[in-house]
Amino acid sequence: MTTYTAIKLAKRPSAKDIGPNLFEVAQLEKPSPAAGEFLIKQSYMSLDPAMLGWMSADTESYIPRVEIGEVMRSFGYAEVVESQHPDFAVGDKVTGMFGLTEYAISKGQGVNKVDANLPAEMVLSIFALPGLTATQGLYRVGKPKAGETLVVTGAAGSVGSIVGQLAKAEGLRVIGVAGGQEKCDWIVNELGFDGAIDYKADGIKENLEALTPDGIDVYFENTGGPIQHHVFERMNAHGRIAVCGMIADYLAETPAPGPNWMNLLRKRLTVQGFTMPDHFHETVELLEILTPHVKAGKIKYRAHILEGLESAMTGLNLFFSGENKGKLIVKL
Amino acid sequence: MTTYTAIKLAKRPSAKDIGPNLFEVAQLEKPSPAAGEFLIKQSYMSLDPAMLGWMSADTESYIPRVEIGEVMRSFGYAEVVESQHPDFAVGDKVTGMFGLTEYAISKGQGVNKVDANLPAEMVLSIFALPGLTATQGLYRVGKPKAGETLVVTGAAGSVGSIVGQLAKAEGLRVIGVAGGQEKCDWIVNELGFDGAIDYKADGIKENLEALTPDGIDVYFENTGGPIQHHVFERMNAHGRIAVCGMIADYLAETPAPGPNWMNLLRKRLTVQGFTMPDHFHETVELLEILTPHVKAGKIKYRAHILEGLESAMTGLNLFFSGENKGKLIVKL
C-alpha cells in the first residue's frame, strides 16, 4: 500500500488570516480507478481568490462550500497515470478541480484535456480561471469600445493583468490600480498599460483624475477598498462596472460602505456582479475570444511559483497582503 | 395687448426645501405663432420628481438644467388655440414640455396629440412620464418573471403604483414600500399589492422579511433611504435592481452610504440606473407594452390635484415630505 499527501480544510476562516492553522495535512491511501474512472497525478495547483469564498461559512455563496474534513477544493494541472475511462488515456495532460492533493480519482466531470505543448504555467495563468474570468467580465459585462477608458483594480493580479491587456488590444485607454511601485512599473512597462495608480501611496484621487482626463467608461473591480469611491465618482454616462472580486471585504466583519446610488442614476450606470461557475458552460465561446489575443502575443503573464504541496497553506494569505507577484501557482 | 402668467426659476435649491422662494411669478406678453408654430393654452401641468434635478446646479445631470430666469420646465396637457403649423389644428389636445405657464408657443418638437376622449388626469398619470418610466424600468431593467418577488419603493407614487400593478399583472408577488398607513392601505386594498411596508413605522427589516419569504428578485428603487440596505440584503441570486429615483438623497449635502458590493458579487446582481430622456425615442414601443394592461383595467391611478398655476411652487416640496397622495397635477 502506498500513500499520498493531501490538504484538508480543518477550520473556517474568521479574520484576514488564512494560514496553516486552518488546514490539516493528511496521508491518504492511494486509490485505484474503477471502471469509468481515472487517476491523475497533479504537478501544478492554482491558488485563486475564489478559494477564500469556498472556505467560508457563508452558505449563500455561489457554489457549495468545502466542508470541514474535506480535501480543500482547487484547480490544477495534472497527468493521467492510470485509466479505466474510455476518453482519458495514460499520459494525457488535463486540468480540473482536483483539490490540494498529489493524486485524485476522477470520472472526467469538469476535466479538460490540454495541449501538451503549452507550458503548465501558461495553461493555469491564462487558459484557466484567470483568462476565462477576464474575458467574461470584460466583454460580457464591460462591453468595451475602442477609445473608451477602462480602470481595473488588482491590475497586477492574475485576472486584472489579462483584463488590461485585452482592453489595450481592443483600443481602450487602460489605467491599472495595484499595490506598490514594482507592480505599477510592471503593468506599465511590461504589459503596456497607459498608467498605474499605487493604492498604497498618497494622492490616489488626484492621480486617478490626472490619468483619466476623459472620465471612466468601464470599471473592472477586483478588490474594493477606498479607490472604489473615487473611480465611481469619475464614471461617465452609460458606464459599465464589472464586479469580479472584493478581496478587501471578503473577511471583513463590517464591510465598508458602498457608493451612494445617486451617481448610478444620474449617469445611468450598470453595475453587475459575476462569478465564473455561472459561465463554465460558455468556456468554448470565451476561449474563442481570448485565444486569438494570446496567439497574437498580446497577453503576457507572470507566475508566482510556490514550491511543494504544503506551501499552499501559507500561499492563500498572499491575496490579502497583496504580496503575490503574478499568478499564484504551487509546483508539486 | 394681453398678458399671461408663468413661473420662472429665480434661485437654485440648496436644501430639502423647494418652496416659492425659489421661483418668480411673471406676467408675459401673449405671443402669436409665426409660420410653423402654434400657440397652446395649458389646462393641466404635471409635477414630477425629475423637476428637482432640472432645477439643481448640477451640470452632470442628464438633460440641460433650467437656467435662472427661464420659465420652469414641466410637462403638461394643453389645447391648441392658434396654429400656423400644418400638423396641429386649433382644438387639438396635446401633451409636451410646455413649462409652468398658461400659454406657450411650440414648433411641435416633443409634442404629442392625445385622444380627446381620455381624461387629462389619466393622460398625465399613466400615458406620460409615470407610465413610460414604470414600463421602461420594470420590463427593460427589471425583466420580471411570473412567480418572482418584486419590491418597489415610493409604491404609492405615480411611478411606483404603476410598477406594482404591472408586476401583479405579470404574475409576480409585489410588496410596496410607502410612507404612512393610508398609502399602505391604498396599495394593498385598492391596487392589489400583496403587502406593504410603512417606512415611517418601526420594524421595517422584520416586516420585509415576513413579506418576502422567498427573497427578492426585482427591486424597483424610487426613494433611497434606509430600506435600501434591507432590500439589498434580501436579493436573490441573479436579481435585478432598477434605480429610478433617489428622492431621499436628491438634495442631501452628504448622501447616505450605499450597500457594500460583496452581495452584488455573491448574488451576481445587476444594478442599473435609468432616466427617461434616454428612452423617449422608444415611446411607441413602451406604450405597446403598457396600453393593453390599461385597457384590461389593470392599472388604477389617483391624481392629487392642486388648484391654480401658483400652487406648483409649493407642490414640488410634497415629494420630499411624502405628503402627496397620487400623481401631482396642477389644474389651471
Side-chain angles (χ1 to χ4, degrees):
Chain A
M1 180 191 109
T2 52
T3 64
Y4 68 98
T5 310
I7 296 173
K8 294 178 169 182
L9 185 64
K11 209 174 128 184
R12 302 211 174 276
S14 60
K16 286 195 182 186
D17 179 31
I18 305 288
N21 63 312
L22 303 180
F23 300 101
E24 179 193 355
V25 179
Q27 295 298 320
L28 304 175
E29 188 180 344
K30 196 169 141 190
S32 289
E37 295 182 341
F38 55 94
L39 178 73
I40 61 93
K41 181 175 196 299
Q42 203 166 208
S43 50
Y44 292 88
M45 305 186 304
S46 176
L47 298 185
D48 295 285
M51 294 167 70
L52 306 169
W54 306 339
M55 293 166 66
S56 88
D58 179 10
T59 53
E60 293 187 300
S61 205
Y62 39 88
I63 65 172
R65 63 182 185 178
V66 177
E67 297 301 334
I68 301 293
E70 273 190 276
V71 172
M72 180 60 204
R73 187 185 298 145
S74 63
F75 190 85
Y77 181 97
E79 183 175 331
V80 176
V81 290
E82 291 179 36
S83 182
Q84 303 270 13
H85 191 293
D87 302 332
F88 292 88
V90 170
D92 281 351
K93 308 291 190 193
V94 292
T95 58
M97 285 286 182
F98 303 124
L100 299 180
T101 179
E102 292 177 314
Y103 288 90
I105 289 284
S106 172
K107 293 185 163 67
Q109 203 186 4
V111 174
N112 288 301
K113 283 191 248 192
V114 297
D115 182 344
N117 295 315
L118 295 178
E121 295 177 7
M122 185 187 199
V123 170
L124 294 183
S125 298
I126 300 183
F127 292 113
L129 210 48
L132 295 174
T133 305
T135 305
Q136 170 67 25
L138 178 64
Y139 287 91
R140 302 277 179 81
V141 184
K143 300 183 175 70
K145 297 183 198 79
E148 290 187 329
T149 296
L150 171 139
V151 170
V152 55
T153 55
S158 59
V159 173
S161 60
I162 300 178
V163 168
Q165 292 177 92
L166 287 173
K168 279 303 296 178
E170 297 293 346
L172 280 79
R173 177 175 176 81
V174 172
I175 307 301
V177 181
Q181 196 59 47
E182 192 275 341
K183 289 182 182 177
C184 288
D185 289 345
W186 181 64
I187 61 176
V188 172
N189 299 333
E190 294 297 317
L191 304 189
F193 284 32
D194 298 288
I197 295 164
D198 178 359
Y199 74 84
K200 294 178 174 174
D202 291 336
I204 56 175
K205 183 171 186 284
E206 294 71 16
N207 290 339
L208 183 69
E209 286 170 5
L211 287 169
T212 59
D214 299 326
I216 299 162
D217 303 289
V218 184
Y219 174 18
F220 196 106
E221 173 65 290
N222 284 309
T223 64
I227 186 81
Q228 182 180 89
H229 292 262
H230 300 306
V231 177
F232 196 76
E233 281 298 311
R234 284 190 72 70
M235 292 299 294
N236 290 329
H238 300 290
R240 288 83 64 198
I241 300 178
V243 183
C244 174
M246 288 286 292
I247 191 85
D249 289 313
Y250 274 175
L251 295 175
E253 288 196 14
T254 309
N260 179 280
W261 287 0
M262 266 305 294
N263 252 356
L264 208 152
L265 174 59
R266 206 178 267 146
K267 314 261 191 79
R268 293 87 88 207
L269 307 179
T270 302
V271 189
Q272 192 173 341
F274 76 100
T275 60
M276 286 312 294
D278 288 341
H279 304 285
F280 282 152
H281 65 283
E282 299 162 281
T283 295
V284 172
E285 296 93 308
L286 293 171
L287 288 177
E288 280 173 5
I289 300 171
L290 173 62
T291 305
H293 293 293
V294 181
K295 287 194 174 159
K298 303 282 190 190
I299 310 296
K300 298 178 186 174
Y301 69 96
R302 59 177 180 182
H304 182 140
I305 304 288
L306 304 172
E307 297 281 344
L309 180 70
E310 296 184 20
S311 66
M313 297 189 293
T314 49
L316 283 171
N317 206 40
L318 297 175
F319 291 122
F320 290 122
S321 67
E323 284 167 37
N324 63 308
K325 297 209 168 73
K327 176 73 194 87
L328 272 178
I329 294 176
V330 174
K331 188 175 179 182
L332 294 175
Chain B
M1 180 189 106
T2 51
T3 64
Y4 69 97
T5 309
I7 295 173
K8 294 177 169 182
L9 184 64
K11 209 175 130 184
R12 301 210 175 278
S14 60
K16 286 196 181 184
D17 178 31
I18 305 286
N21 64 313
L22 301 179
F23 300 101
E24 180 194 358
V25 179
Q27 293 299 319
L28 303 174
E29 189 181 342
K30 196 169 142 190
S32 289
E37 295 181 341
F38 55 92
L39 179 73
I40 61 91
K41 183 175 196 296
Q42 203 166 209
S43 50
Y44 292 88
M45 305 187 304
S46 176
L47 298 185
D48 294 284
M51 295 168 71
L52 306 169
W54 306 339
M55 294 166 66
S56 87
D58 178 13
T59 55
E60 293 187 301
S61 203
Y62 38 87
I63 66 170
R65 63 182 185 178
V66 177
E67 297 302 333
I68 301 294
E70 272 190 277
V71 172
M72 180 60 205
R73 185 185 299 145
S74 62
F75 191 84
Y77 182 96
E79 182 175 334
V80 176
V81 290
E82 292 179 37
S83 181
Q84 301 271 12
H85 192 294
D87 302 331
F88 292 88
V90 170
D92 280 351
K93 308 293 190 192
V94 291
T95 58
M97 285 286 181
F98 303 123
L100 298 180
T101 180
E102 292 178 313
Y103 288 90
I105 289 284
S106 172
K107 291 184 165 68
Q109 205 186 1
V111 174
N112 288 301
K113 284 191 244 190
V114 296
D115 182 344
N117 295 317
L118 295 177
E121 295 177 7
M122 184 188 200
V123 169
L124 294 183
S125 298
I126 300 182
F127 291 112
L129 211 48
L132 295 174
T133 305
T135 305
Q136 170 67 26
L138 178 64
Y139 287 91
R140 303 275 179 84
V141 184
K143 299 182 175 73
K145 296 185 199 76
E148 290 187 329
T149 296
L150 172 139
V151 170
V152 54
T153 56
S158 59
V159 172
S161 60
I162 299 177
V163 167
Q165 292 177 90
L166 288 173
K168 279 302 297 177
E170 297 292 347
L172 282 79
R173 175 173 177 83
V174 172
I175 307 300
V177 180
Q181 196 58 47
E182 191 276 341
K183 289 181 182 178
C184 288
D185 289 345
W186 181 64
I187 60 178
V188 172
N189 299 333
E190 293 298 318
L191 304 190
F193 284 32
D194 297 288
I197 295 164
D198 179 359
Y199 74 84
K200 295 178 175 175
D202 291 336
I204 57 175
K205 183 169 185 285
E206 294 72 19
N207 288 340
L208 183 68
E209 285 169 6
L211 287 169
T212 58
D214 299 326
I216 299 162
D217 303 288
V218 184
Y219 174 20
F220 196 107
E221 173 63 292
N222 284 309
T223 64
I227 186 81
Q228 183 180 87
H229 293 262
H230 299 306
V231 177
F232 196 76
E233 282 298 313
R234 285 191 71 71
M235 292 300 293
N236 290 331
H238 300 290
R240 289 84 61 198
I241 301 178
V243 183
C244 175
M246 286 287 292
I247 192 84
D249 288 312
Y250 274 174
L251 295 175
E253 289 197 14
T254 309
N260 179 280
W261 287 359
M262 268 303 296
N263 251 355
L264 208 151
L265 173 58
R266 204 178 271 145
K267 314 263 192 79
R268 294 88 87 206
L269 307 180
T270 301
V271 189
Q272 190 173 343
F274 76 100
T275 61
M276 285 313 293
D278 288 341
H279 304 286
F280 282 153
H281 64 284
E282 300 163 279
T283 296
V284 171
E285 295 93 310
L286 293 171
L287 288 177
E288 280 173 5
I289 300 171
L290 173 62
T291 306
H293 293 293
V294 181
K295 286 193 175 160
K298 302 283 188 187
I299 311 297
K300 298 179 186 175
Y301 69 96
R302 61 178 178 180
H304 182 140
I305 305 290
L306 304 172
E307 297 280 345
L309 181 69
E310 297 183 21
S311 66
M313 298 189 291
T314 48
L316 284 171
N317 206 42
L318 297 176
F319 290 122
F320 289 121
S321 66
E323 285 168 36
N324 62 307
K325 297 211 166 76
K327 177 74 193 86
L328 271 177
I329 294 175
V330 174
K331 188 175 180 183
L332 296 174

